[in-house]
Amino acid sequence: MFDSTLRPKLDPLLERLAATIARAGISANQVTWAGLAIGIAAAGVIAAQFFWLGLVLVLASRLCDGLDGPVARIAGKSDYGGFLDIVLDFAFYGLIPVGFVLADPQANAVAGAVLVLSFYVNGASFLAYAIMAERHGLEGQSHGEKSIFFTTGLAEATETLAVFVLMCLLPVWFATIAYIFAAICFYTALSRIVLAARTLR
C-alpha cells in the first residue's frame, strides 16, 4: 500500500549508494544474493531469540533488496537478475516467520504456518496477475521500474517489513501480529482476484 508512496522518496538515496556499489565492481546479482544470505542469518538469530540482532539483519537484508535494482540499472539489467530478485525475495519472506516458529514452536507454530500460507496465496495472486497483465499488454510504473507488472495491495514490501520489525520489537506478540497480517495478506489476494475478474477478459 505504501510502496508507491515511499519509493520516490527513497530512490535518490538508493541510487547514490548503488553508484558506489557499481563502481566497486559489485554486480546486482551479488547484492541480491547478499540480501538472502543476510536474511538467512536474520532467521537464525531470531530462532536463537536474539531479536534485536535479528531486527538489524532484517533491515540490512531489505537494504540489499532496495539496492539491487538501482545497481542493475547502472551496470546493466538482465531477465535473470529480475527473476533472481523475485525468487529470493519470496525466500526471505518465508524465512523470517520460520525463525520465529523455531524460537518458540509451542507459541508460534500455528500462527507462523497461517502467515506463511497467506504469503503463499498472496504471492501466487501477485505472480499470476503479473503474467496475465503482460499477456494483455498492461503496464504500470507506480512501483518504479520493475521486471514484472506490480499490482498495488494492502500487503506489499513496506508493510511486510514493518510487520517483521514489529515482531522483532515485540516477539511475545508474534502470534497476534501474524494472524492480523495473514488476514491482510488474504484480503490483498482476494482483491487481486476481483481485479483480475474486472480487467482480464
Side-chain angles (χ1 to χ4, degrees), residues 166-187:
L166 190 61
M167 289 172 173
C168 290
L169 293 174
L170 301 170
V172 297
W173 287 91
F174 170 83
T176 300
I177 298 167
Y179 283 129
I180 292 171
F181 195 60
I184 293 172
C185 289
F186 284 127
Y187 173 82

Side-chain angles (χ1 to χ4, degrees), residues 9-26:
K9 296 179 174 62
L10 293 175
D11 276 349
L13 174 60
L14 293 175
E15 287 167 3
R16 287 195 293 271
L17 290 172
T20 302
I21 291 170
R23 282 196 299 270
I26 300 171

Side-chain angles (χ1 to χ4, degrees), residues 26-33 64 67-73 75-76 81 84:
I26 300 171
S27 72
N29 290 347
Q30 288 172 326
V31 176
T32 303
W33 279 111
C64 290
L67 286 169
D68 57 6
V71 171
R73 287 192 288 275
L84 190 67

Side-chain angles (χ1 to χ4, degrees), residues 153-175:
L154 277 178
E156 297 183 325
T158 302
E159 291 77 23
T160 307
L161 176 58
V163 165
F164 287 168
V165 167
L166 190 61
M167 289 172 173
C168 290
L169 293 174
L170 301 170
V172 297
W173 287 91
F174 170 83

